[in-house]
């Protein structure tokens, strides 16, 4: 197949990974980025621009650095486990520099449309219209990787709220929220308890007079700092835990995890307990929410029934005076550059493994990072890109259209069951399962059995340790010589940033001696007792 020139739309984390994968397989990538810098969502900008991702100044990763890293480029060992957005940008700049990605990116260039060429059924080529400095240009590309993200088109369901047009205070979407300065002394209602809603409510509550956090469903609240102070995802997302989850009955796991989270604070007492069981719910991560609730700065409220000119009336009949409403109601998917005639628009929610639209005569269009892993996005979107470039070059082939549709329908049925339980998100995938699925297509899924025979130490860390992306560089195409070392040193990199005041180990070794002496004494007493008994 002749795919050579590839257009990458967007230079966020997905786009950067896509450029790198193209270069790895000998393709010629051209990345179009409408902003003037890389990073996408992680690039903080004070000034809002419609259609750009928007984040608040304090945004900090909710996935830990070892779980978030690209598979052949670990985050520097001294970086904190949960990076602030500026640190994440530093990491992305280092990555782009290391692999020479910058020269393939055209900044301030917006992709306006992509259309199949007239001879698409034989060539698989696309016409790509881009706009830079108010002039348009058309390019021909053999393949397209869409990495445009989905946190730009805000979901702002104002029509659902009676009386909002009469409300005289200010009213904004969490996309517009930058820092808490504007809310000093105010009474603020935050609508929606997702990750953003929780973050915004907590932050504003430090300066506001009162914050009301309104949630229809409630949520289970997780925290970054897990047992022994280790990062939550690095502790829980292991192959061992995934195996236990698969063999244990679901209700047992639910009960176990709910018990664990309720031990931190009782979700019913705090007004947060959702209807759904924990495995059927999106994760909401907030270290501080219970701290703000217990000191009364954040009050949890049910859904808003209606707004008056100065207040919000909640479904339980209570009414509170408010000055500001912030809608943390999320985002909707949109691809303004996809023209209707390309035949992919209808299928944007039903793509083969969330990547390839199944209807195209040639598999030369791919969507990267359009899913919501229960975990970090970089490792999943990077694996997608590794797979896509191999399909583009013909080294891997896709199944027939009917086989792809069958796979999509099978998954759609499981999703339909999930949504009955209340999980509406059709793009949610399980982190390890999804990565293994794509890795199997590529032939890079770690082979535990052979590892167990040839490298027991590594096998143990791959199975029991955090399921980091380096595992997918141990074998097969794209193998990285540093992968083994990266896996065996990942726990050291987690501890390194914490060792800013080194504790002498003498106390610990003292305990060690006490324990050893106890064991020896116990052993001798046992022998004496046994000899005593046998003598009689
Ligand atoms: C508040 C928040 C916190 C998050 N925290 C985490 C986290 O801790 N860990 C994690 O793994 N994930 C997190 N996520 C998920 C996040 O979406 C991903 O981490 C990641 O940033 C997505 O990257 P992306 O490259 O796919 O998209 P984006 O980062 O959105 O990048 C898309 C890029 O494409 C450009 N673009 C779009 N359209 C065009 C066009 N027509 N022409 C040219 N350029 C275009 C945009 O300008 C942008 O630069 C978070 C999301 C949000 C909203
Ligand atoms: C991190 O935050 C994003 C954006 O709110 C969310 O989609 C994702 O599920 C969160 N991840 C975890 C592990 O909580
Ligand atoms: C998936 O299932 C839902 C109903 O469960 C249906 O409305 C939808 O059309 C299905 N999508 C596909 C692509 O089959």
């Amino acid at each position: 197949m002749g795919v050579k020139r590839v257009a990458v739309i967007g230079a966020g984390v997905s786009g950067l990974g896509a450029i790198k994968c193209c270069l790895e397989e000998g393709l010629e990538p051209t990345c179009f980025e409408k902003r003037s810098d890389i990073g996408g969502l992680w690039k903080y900008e004070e000034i809002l621009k419609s259609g750009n991702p928007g984040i608040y100044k304090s945004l900090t990763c909710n996935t830990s650095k070892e779980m978030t890293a690209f598979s052949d480029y670990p985050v520097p060992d001294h970086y904190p486990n949960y990076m602030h957005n500026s640190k994440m940008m530093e990491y992305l700049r280092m990555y782009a520099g290391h692999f020479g990605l910058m020269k393939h990116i055209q900044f301030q260039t917006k992709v306006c449309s992509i259309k199949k060429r007239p001879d698409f059924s034989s060539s698989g080529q696309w016409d790509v219209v881009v706009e830079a400095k108010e002039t348009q240009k058309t390019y021909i590309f053999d393949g397209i990787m869409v990495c445009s993200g989905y946190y730009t088109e805000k979901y702002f369901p104002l029509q659902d709220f009676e009386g909002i047009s009469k409300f005289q205070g200010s009213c904004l979407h969490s996309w517009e929220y930058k820092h808490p300065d504007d809310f000093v002394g105010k009474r603020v209602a935050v609508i929606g308890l997702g990750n953003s809603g929780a973050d915004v409510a907590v932050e504003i509550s430090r300066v506001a007079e009162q914050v009301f956090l309104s949630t229809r469903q409630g949520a289970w609240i997780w925290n970054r700092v897990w047992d022994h102070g280790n990062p939550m995802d690095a502790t829980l997302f292991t192959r061992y835990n995934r195996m236990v989850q698969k063999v244990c009955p679901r209700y047992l796991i639910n009960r176990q995890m709910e018990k664990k989270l309720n031990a931190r604070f009782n979700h019913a007492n705090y007004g947060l307990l959702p209807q759904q069981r924990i495995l059927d719910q999106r994760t909401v991560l907030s270290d501080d929410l219970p701290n703000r609730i217990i000191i009364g700065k954040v009050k949890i409220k049910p859904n808003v029934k209606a707004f008056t000119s100065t207040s919000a009336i909640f479904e339980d009949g209570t009414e509170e005076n408010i000055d500001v409403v912030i809608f943390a109601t999320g985002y909707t998917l949109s691809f303004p550059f996809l023209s209707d005639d390309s035949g992919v628009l209808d299928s944007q929610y039903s793509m083969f493994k969330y990547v390839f639209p199944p209807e195209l005569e040639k598999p030369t269009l791919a969507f990267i990072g359009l899913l919501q892993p229960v975990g970090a996005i970089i490792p999943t979107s990077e694996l997608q890109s590794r797979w896509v470039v191999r399909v583009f070059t013909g080294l891997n082939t896709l199944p027939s259209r009917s086989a792809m549709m069958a796979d999509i329908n099978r998954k759609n049925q499981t999703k339909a069951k999930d949504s009955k339980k209340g999980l509406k998100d059709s793009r949610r995938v399980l982190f390890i399962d999804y990565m293994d699925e794509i890795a199997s297509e590529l032939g890079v899924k770690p082979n535990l059995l052979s590892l167990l025979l040839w490298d027991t130490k590594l096998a143990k860390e791959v199975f029991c340790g955090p399921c980091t992306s380096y595992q997918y560089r141990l074998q097969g195409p794209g193998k990285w010589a540093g992968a083994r070392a990266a896996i065996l040193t990942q726990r050291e990199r987690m501890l390194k940033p914490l060792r800013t005041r080194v504790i002498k180990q003498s106390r610990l070794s003292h305990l060690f001696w006490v324990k050893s002496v106890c064991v020896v004494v116990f052993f001798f007493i046992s022998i004496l007792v046994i000899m005593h008994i046998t003598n009689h």
Side-chain angles (χ1 to χ4, degrees), residues 460-475:
K460 187 165 164 269
E461 187 63 10
V462 167
F463 186 65
C464 302
C467 186
T468 46
S469 58
Y470 326 123
Q471 294 192 2
Y472 302 103
R473 292 277 181 187
L474 285 169
Q475 60 178 64

Side-chain angles (χ1 to χ4, degrees), residues 208-390:
E209 184 191 309
Q210 184 65 56
V211 171
F212 303 97
L213 179 52
S214 158
T215 167
R216 194 189 318 236
Q217 299 196 326
W220 291 101
I221 307 293
W222 298 74
N223 47 320
R224 290 181 175 81
V225 185
W226 209 247
D227 295 353
H228 312 290
N230 293 324
M232 185 270 272
D233 54 356
T235 313
L236 297 182
F237 296 174
T238 65
R239 289 183 181 277
Y240 169 77
N241 277 353
R242 186 65 197 117
M243 192 197 70
V244 171
Q245 273 191 11
K246 275 187 184 153
V247 297
C248 276
R250 220 175 146 82
Y251 77 91
L252 268 186
I253 311 247
N254 272 324
R255 205 167 69 182
Q256 181 76 19
M257 291 191 345
E258 288 168 7
K259 201 171 146 197
K260 173 97 191 155
L261 292 194
N262 272 333
R264 183 175 170 228
F265 70 92
N266 182 309
H267 282 61
N269 291 347
Y270 276 56
L272 287 166
L273 187 72
Q275 284 283 313
Q276 298 93 359
R277 303 305 302 267
I278 197 160
L279 291 179
D280 302 327
Q281 253 240 345
R282 275 180 339 129
T283 47
V284 175
L285 216 93
S286 177
D287 299 306
D288 286 338
L289 186 60
N291 305 343
R292 307 310 294 170
I293 295 175
I294 203 167
I295 62 167
K297 276 290 180 184
V298 172
K299 289 186 178 159
I300 303 295
K301 286 283 190 178
N303 210 23
V304 174
K305 195 167 74 184
F307 288 94
T308 70
S309 60
T310 55
S311 70
I313 303 168
F314 297 91
E315 270 172 359
D316 57 2
T318 54
E319 181 170 356
E320 302 285 354
N321 285 336
I322 50 170
D323 307 306
V324 187
V325 195
I326 300 179
F327 286 86
T329 37
Y331 298 86
T332 53
L333 209 54
S334 102
F335 301 103
F337 48 82
L338 271 183
S339 55
D340 304 320
D341 69 347
S342 61
V344 288
L345 260 188
D346 325 323
S347 60
Q348 59 179 247
Y349 298 101
S350 52
M351 286 179 281
F352 183 53
K353 299 190 195 296
Y354 303 94
V355 176
F356 288 103
E359 287 87 1
L360 293 175
E361 301 97 311
K362 296 270 177 187
T364 55
L365 175 66
F367 292 80
I368 310 293
L370 262 199
L371 70 189
Q372 289 205 303
V374 183
I377 198 107
I378 292 181
T380 41
S381 69
E382 189 195 19
L383 269 171
Q384 291 179 326
S385 288
R386 287 172 72 188
W387 179 42
V388 166
V389 292
R390 287 181 66 84

Side-chain angles (χ1 to χ4, degrees), residues 41 45 74 89 127 130 136 153 205 290 296 315 327 334 353 358 369:
L41 179 102
E45 265 169 358
M89 278 302 288
D127 279 324
V130 304
Q136 290 204 339
E153 200 64 39
S205 74
E315 270 172 359
F327 286 86
S334 102
K353 299 190 195 296

